[in-house]
Amino acid sequence: QVRLVESGGGLVQAGGSLRLSCAASGRMSDFYIMGWYCQPPGKQREFVAEITSGDTTSYADSVKGRFTVSSDDTKTIVHLQMNSLKIEDTGVYYCKIRTAYGSFWGQGTQVTVSS
């Protein structure tokens, strides 16, 4: 079991920035992938970005060049730096971890981008 706690959401104007964090605790395998997903209002949850325990990153096309995913030295906290935010980035942002023991989700944090 892995527990994920997200933080850093909030209200920001279009063009602004926010930094989300996700702290993981519990049983983690040597190799794992931590990612961020967004669920816009009335829509399905969609992939945003992810980073592996080996620091390989990948991004959705819609956020490339604007968002950066990174982890700290302990590899248990993952950040999502979101710049040049757009109204369409609004949604609940969830952290997810995939390990050899299973996949787990955080509770989500709301990001609202206003005009």
Side-chain angles (χ1 to χ4, degrees):
Q1 184 78 15
V2 176
R3 181 169 181 253
L4 300 172
V5 179
E6 300 106 331
S7 61
L11 173 64
V12 64
Q13 285 191 323
S17 298
L18 278 177
R19 188 186 195 216
L20 306 183
S21 297
C22 174
S25 60
R27 187 185 186 197
M28 296 169 69
S29 50
D30 290 340
F31 178 80
Y32 55 85
I33 302 172
M34 290 183 72
W36 289 95
Y37 292 74
C38 175
Q39 186 163 15
K43 297 183 179 180
Q44 291 187 331
R45 200 172 297 187
E46 56 195 24
F47 170 76
V48 175
E50 67 183 17
I51 184 167
T52 72
S53 49
D55 292 330
T56 299
T57 59
S58 61
Y59 297 90
D61 288 343
S62 60
V63 306
K64 284 180 181 177
R66 300 189 299 123
F67 291 11
T68 302
V69 61
S70 62
S71 61
D72 72 340
D73 291 342
T74 68
K75 305 291 186 182
T76 61
I77 299 177
V78 171
H79 305 289
L80 184 68
Q81 178 66 43
M82 305 187 293
N83 299 328
S84 303
L85 281 161
K86 304 176 180 179
I87 293 175
E88 52 263 41
D89 294 321
T90 294
V92 179
Y93 282 72
Y94 295 90
C95 181
K96 177 184 179 182
I97 187 170
R98 286 177 279 165
T99 76
Y101 313 119
S103 296
F104 306 92
W105 291 91
Q107 81 286 353
T109 185
Q110 177 70 44
V111 171
T112 302
V113 184
S114 65
S115 59

